């Protein structure tokens, strides 16, 4: 299948896990009814509340998330990216985890976020993800879907580390998800340009489902879920607010761009 319909779900998640997951299910069903074969959810989609509550409820959040998305992907015969959710680690912290479920409902891909957001970006909020999240140590694999193509995923802050994307390209990725909860202040400055840069550098599709709006304690996320093609064109921009963004993907564009400018083959420096 060279062409397929992609659905990106943009959310304003809070601390009510059941409500968040119900919204996810509704949007996934809507996407499938429109013909989408691949659907992506943003970072923190099942829970965006206090760090304390995240740690206390990590097992419940992970279990409910896994069960819902495994069941619905099989029922609707689609692939779903669980963009980023807490799953228990062995040291009392959690991993920030993304999973891809195939159309058979089985887990095809799992990744633990490597780069943790410990910053003071200037919005009056101190972000210290490492207080509760254990950094992943393994470069994401690539899910080679027979129906769709070669799919991988990073999570949010990973976007700022191009060397990670280069490592993923060694694993034949054609599409990379960047599920995110980008802050409004950094999103306005850097979101689109970084996503387009990663697409151009790696000559692949970038799919970036995002959080939007105001959350707990005044935290603001940028929205603007984006679909970027391998030439760097923005094919879809969700703007602000909760919504489903549908975009037709032509996977042949990957090989067309790589043939025009074979930069990946011309590399002289390899890590």
């Amino acid at each position: 299948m060279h062409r397929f319909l992609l659905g990106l779900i943009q959310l304003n998640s809070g601390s009510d896990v059941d409500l968040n997951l119900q919204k996810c299910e509704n949007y996934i069903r809507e996407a499938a009814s429109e013909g989408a074969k691949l659907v992506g959810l943003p970072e923190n989609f099942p829970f965006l509340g206090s760090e304390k509550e995240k740690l206390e409820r990590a097992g419940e959040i992970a279990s409910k998330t896994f069960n819902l998305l495994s069941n619905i992907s099989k029922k609707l015969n689609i692939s779903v990216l669980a963009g980023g959710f807490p799953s228990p680690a062995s040291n009392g912290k959690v991993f920030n985890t993304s999973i891809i479920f195939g159309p058979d409902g089985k887990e095809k891909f799992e990744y633990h976020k490597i780069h943790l957001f410990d910053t003071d970006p200037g919005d009056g909020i101190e972000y210290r993800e490492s207080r509760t999240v254990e950094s992943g140590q393994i470069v994401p694999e690539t899910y080679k879907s027979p129906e769709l193509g070669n799919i991988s995923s990073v999570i949010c802050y990973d976007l700022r580390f191009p060397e990670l994307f280069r490592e993923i390209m060694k694993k034949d990725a054609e599409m990379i998800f960047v599920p995110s909860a980008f802050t409004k202040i950094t999103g306005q400055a850097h979101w689109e340009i970084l996503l387009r840069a990663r697409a151009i550098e790696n000559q692949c599709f970038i799919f970036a489902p995002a959080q939007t709006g105001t959350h707990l304690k005044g935290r603001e996320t940028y929205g603007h879920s984006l679909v970027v093609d391998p030439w760097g064109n923005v094919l879809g921009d969700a703007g602000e607010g909760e919504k489903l963004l549908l975009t037709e993907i032509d996977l042949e564009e990957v090989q067309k761009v790589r043939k025009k400018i074979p930069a990946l083959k011309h590399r002289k420096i390899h890590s």
Side-chain angles (χ1 to χ4, degrees), residues 139-140 152 154 164-173 176:
V139 172
S152 191
V154 299
L164 178 60
F165 286 74
R166 280 298 199 224
E167 290 298 311
I168 295 172
M169 296 316 295
K170 294 177 182 178
K171 304 181 181 187
D172 301 322
I176 301 177

Side-chain angles (χ1 to χ4, degrees), residues 26-157:
N26 293 343
Y27 278 123
I28 292 169
R29 289 185 179 277
E30 180 184 349
S33 72
E34 295 287 341
K37 293 299 180 184
L38 177 63
V39 177
L41 294 160
E43 185 183 28
N44 300 327
F45 66 93
F47 180 83
L48 189 48
S50 74
E51 298 297 278
K52 180 177 182 291
E53 189 177 359
K54 179 176 74 176
L55 291 178
E56 292 172 347
R57 302 182 64 189
E60 172 202 352
I61 295 167
S63 177
K64 287 183 174 180
T65 295
F66 193 99
N67 290 338
L68 169 66
L69 297 182
S70 175
N71 290 334
I72 198 168
S73 59
K74 183 176 182 180
K75 187 176 294 184
L76 300 177
N77 192 37
I78 59 172
S79 295
V80 177
L81 172 92
F85 64 94
S87 63
S90 59
N91 58 358
K93 294 184 178 183
V94 298
F95 290 113
N96 190 340
T97 302
S98 66
I99 290 177
I100 297 175
F101 295 91
D104 58 0
K106 295 181 179 179
E107 179 183 321
K108 306 297 184 181
F109 167 98
E110 182 178 81
Y111 166 65
H112 299 316
K113 184 179 182 181
I114 292 174
H115 300 99
L116 304 182
F117 194 57
D118 289 356
T119 75
D120 298 284
D123 59 0
I125 298 176
E126 179 187 62
Y127 298 89
R128 294 292 180 268
E129 191 174 14
S130 64
R131 286 177 181 163
T132 57
V133 178
E134 182 72 12
S135 174
Q137 302 299 315
I138 300 174
V139 172
E141 297 295 331
T142 296
Y143 165 42
K144 297 184 177 180
S145 163
E147 301 87 11
L148 302 172
N150 299 346
I151 311 166
S152 191
S153 179
V154 299
I155 300 175
C156 200
Y157 191 45

Side-chain angles (χ1 to χ4, degrees), residues 6-13 19-36 38-42 45 68-69 72 76 78 80 210 212 240-246:
L6 167 76
L8 297 186
I9 295 170
Q10 183 161 286
L11 295 172
N12 176 249
S13 297
L19 176 60
N20 294 331
L21 290 178
Q22 184 61 60
K23 287 193 291 188
C24 292
E25 179 177 354
N26 293 343
Y27 278 123
I28 292 169
R29 289 185 179 277
E30 180 184 349
S33 72
E34 295 287 341
L38 177 63
V39 177
L41 294 160
F45 66 93
L68 169 66
L69 297 182
I72 198 168
L76 300 177
I78 59 172
V80 177
T212 183
E240 298 178 353
E242 294 189 313
K243 64 189 66 173
L244 169 66
L245 175 67
L246 294 169

Side-chain angles (χ1 to χ4, degrees), residues 178 180 182 186-187 189-195 208 210 222-224 226:
V178 189
S180 298
F182 241 64
T186 59
H190 302 146
W191 175 245
E192 181 177 322
I193 196 168
L194 285 172
L195 291 168
Y222 183 56
H224 291 275
L226 288 188

